[in-house]
Amino acid sequence: WCPMSIDSFAELALSPRLQQPLRELGYAAPTPIQASAIPVILAGRDLMAGAQTGTGKTAAFVLPLLEQLLQQPQAEPRPIRALVLVPTRELATQVNAALQGVAEALGLRTLTLCGGVPQEQQQAELALGPQLLVATPGRLRDLLAQRRLGLSNLRTLVLDEADRLLEMGFWPDIQWLLNAMPTERQTLLFSATLPLELESLAIDLLTNPI
Ligand code: AMP
């Protein structure tokens, strides 16, 4: 799929409220993965994207996720609407770092759930009603099994570094987590490589993807 040439953020359908933090971050123009992925995600389509770390792939899904959250009514209590699954704690921290400042400025709440952090602390943070979670599959599965949170209002699922999620043996956890989510949702898969096994798993996971 070839995007039309997009060389400024103003050409992407992102609210002015999102454009301002981009200027503050010093992002002058979208990177190729951002120019390709953001319109597809905003259109509500499922997506399979090939992108290495360093290409701006995090903002390629973070920006449209924040845009979608801004468009939703801010009902209380706020349900979890978006989930980003990542293979490692380091990546979770990195994704959250890219997200948190902008999200907070927009009045949106995010939370990182991964191993190595006391569960009590994460439970207290869950009680504050995050709309967007960044999580490793194992810790999220534990918290769901203990009914500490629910994913029945989830709208968008992102698998970041899907090839590493597969390599690291997380697929059974992911299958388990899928059963706790609505089948009607938007699913986005980002991966640096596309091994055959991942391609066949993605066929089940994605609906008519771009
Ligand atoms: P990532 O590929 O998501 O790990 O991003 C790599 C780096 O590129 C991060 O430090 C981002 O802050 C930066 N970045 C992402 N998008 C842009 C952009 N449009 N312009 C300049 N820097 C960017």
Side-chain angles (χ1 to χ4, degrees):
W1 184 74
C2 292
M4 287 180 297
S5 145
I6 291 178
D7 43 30
S8 82
F9 278 110
E11 291 174 64
L12 296 167
L14 296 170
S15 321
R17 287 174 73 192
L18 262 171
Q19 309 256 359
Q20 177 59 30
L22 291 178
R23 280 191 286 275
E24 283 162 19
L25 283 169
Y27 292 8
T31 65
I33 183 66
Q34 291 163 2
S36 311
I38 292 173
V40 171
I41 301 172
L42 290 176
R45 294 290 303 268
D46 279 9
L47 172 72
M48 187 151 173
Q52 312 270 345
T53 297
T55 57
K57 71 172 168 70
T58 313
F61 58 81
V62 159
L63 294 172
L65 285 184
L66 293 176
E67 179 70 39
Q68 286 170 341
L69 289 172
L70 275 181
Q71 303 306 328
Q72 279 163 11
Q74 304 294 306
E76 297 284 345
R78 300 183 293 186
I80 296 164
R81 291 290 193 187
L83 167 66
V84 181
L85 286 177
V86 294
T88 62
R89 185 181 166 187
E90 291 67 37
L91 188 58
T93 311
Q94 224 171 293
V95 172
N96 202 50
L99 190 66
Q100 209 174 16
V102 183
E104 267 172 18
L106 298 171
L108 301 168
R109 201 180 280 278
T110 68
L111 175 62
T112 306
L113 295 175
C114 47
V117 178
Q119 270 206 26
E120 296 70 38
Q121 185 187 325
Q122 296 185 331
Q123 283 160 22
E125 288 169 336
L126 271 171
L128 296 173
Q131 293 134 300
L132 193 158
L133 289 184
V134 181
T136 50
R139 173 57 63 96
L140 183 62
R141 181 176 174 165
D142 290 345
L143 288 163
L144 267 166
Q146 296 167 24
R147 299 184 185 280
R148 303 285 181 189
L149 72 152
L151 294 177
S152 57
N153 288 295
L154 194 80
R155 202 191 158 281
T156 311
L157 168 67
V158 182
L159 300 184
D160 188 18
E161 303 204 353
D163 48 357
R164 290 182 66 208
L165 282 166
L166 182 63
E167 246 169 56
M168 291 171 69
F170 280 128
W171 221 261
D173 287 329
I174 293 172
Q175 299 286 0
W176 190 95
L177 292 171
L178 289 173
N179 287 325
M181 296 173 199
T183 47
E184 209 161 298
R185 56 162 199 270
Q186 184 179 20
T187 306
L188 315 172
L189 187 149
F190 284 77
S191 192
T193 63
L194 190 57
L196 268 181
E197 193 188 352
L198 180 61
E199 203 174 331
S200 60
L201 289 167
I203 289 170
D204 290 337
L205 200 66
L206 303 169
T207 306
N208 193 18
I210 288 192

